[in-house]
Amino acid sequence: NVGTWSQKLANFIDNLSIYYAKRVGIEKQGLNDYDDIIDINNDDFIILLRDISLTALFSKKQSLQSACCSVLKNLSYFKPKLILPNALDILYPVIKSTTNSRQLVPALHAINVLIIPILNRKLWPEGANHLKLLMELFLPGIDILDPYKTRGTFTFYQNIFINVPFIDANDKNEQ
């Protein structure tokens, strides 16, 4: 369901996540002069935005897809256990399937946006367990006939090579 309202709704949910992140940061640092309005332990708001974003992620409008990815990334830094497992549960079948070509590019983009929170062991220790499977699933994405899929695949591997330290397991001097 796409219309003239789609961009406004995309901007709205993106701004909600941005201002939520700013407000939680201010309240965690104690920089506010007023009572805490946001209950950081209340997960209802995050779940609401997560479900909306995961539903709209496969929209036909690229701006809506990008806004949804931004929302998921912003919220994954606060509650990774609420965002990342659900996102991966939805994205894995799309990446494994070869028939959903229209959904594959947004799924690749979403994984590329979420890869840093997924691999951050301080945020989500279970995320590193997904690296091998993701690398295996992305490998068939190198396709000469589909430049968008290939670009998403190369971006994924670039993010991996930039953010994952590679060390020689046999070298005892490496920490």
Side-chain angles (χ1 to χ4, degrees):
N1 192 359
V2 178
T4 56
W5 59 87
S6 298
Q7 186 60 44
K8 291 176 184 175
L9 289 176
N11 291 339
F12 178 68
I13 63 170
D14 192 23
N15 284 330
L16 277 177
S17 71
I18 290 169
Y19 287 111
Y20 179 82
K22 286 181 182 180
R23 181 63 183 264
V24 169
I26 288 171
E27 290 185 6
K28 279 187 175 181
Q29 294 175 2
L31 299 176
N32 55 345
D33 295 334
Y34 43 81
D35 294 330
D36 293 345
I37 295 174
I38 296 177
D39 181 9
I40 296 172
N41 297 321
N42 185 356
D43 298 336
D44 294 337
F45 181 72
I46 292 176
I47 291 171
L48 177 71
L49 285 180
R50 176 199 68 195
D51 293 344
I52 291 169
S53 297
L54 288 174
T55 303
L57 182 64
F58 301 111
S59 168
K60 292 179 182 178
K61 292 191 84 150
Q62 188 174 3
S63 58
L64 185 55
Q65 295 169 4
S66 295
C68 292
C69 289
S70 175
V71 169
L72 292 171
K73 182 178 180 181
N74 291 337
L75 297 179
S76 68
Y77 283 107
F78 293 104
K79 298 285 184 170
K81 290 181 174 136
L82 288 177
I83 302 296
L84 298 176
N86 292 73
L88 289 175
D89 286 344
I90 289 173
L91 296 173
Y92 273 147
V94 175
I95 294 171
K96 287 178 185 177
S97 172
T98 58
T99 59
N100 292 340
S101 60
R102 188 189 69 78
Q103 292 181 343
L104 183 60
V105 174
L108 295 175
H109 179 64
I111 293 287
N112 282 326
V113 169
L114 293 173
I115 196 65
I116 294 173
I118 288 172
L119 297 177
N120 188 328
R121 290 191 178 220
K122 292 178 184 175
L123 280 176
W124 195 44
E126 303 88 27
N129 298 333
H130 295 272
L131 179 61
K132 181 180 179 226
L133 179 60
L134 285 170
M135 290 180 79
E136 289 172 357
L137 290 174
F138 269 73
L139 198 54
I142 300 172
D143 183 1
I144 195 167
L145 299 175
D146 191 348
Y148 298 110
K149 183 168 62 168
T150 303
R151 183 184 67 201
T153 301
F154 284 143
T155 302
F156 170 77
Y157 283 109
Q158 177 186 2
N159 286 332
I160 295 297
F161 294 139
I162 289 173
N163 293 300
V164 176
F166 291 96
I167 60 170
D168 185 3
N170 296 325
D171 190 7
K172 300 212 185 316
N173 294 331
E174 292 283 334
Q175 293 282 334

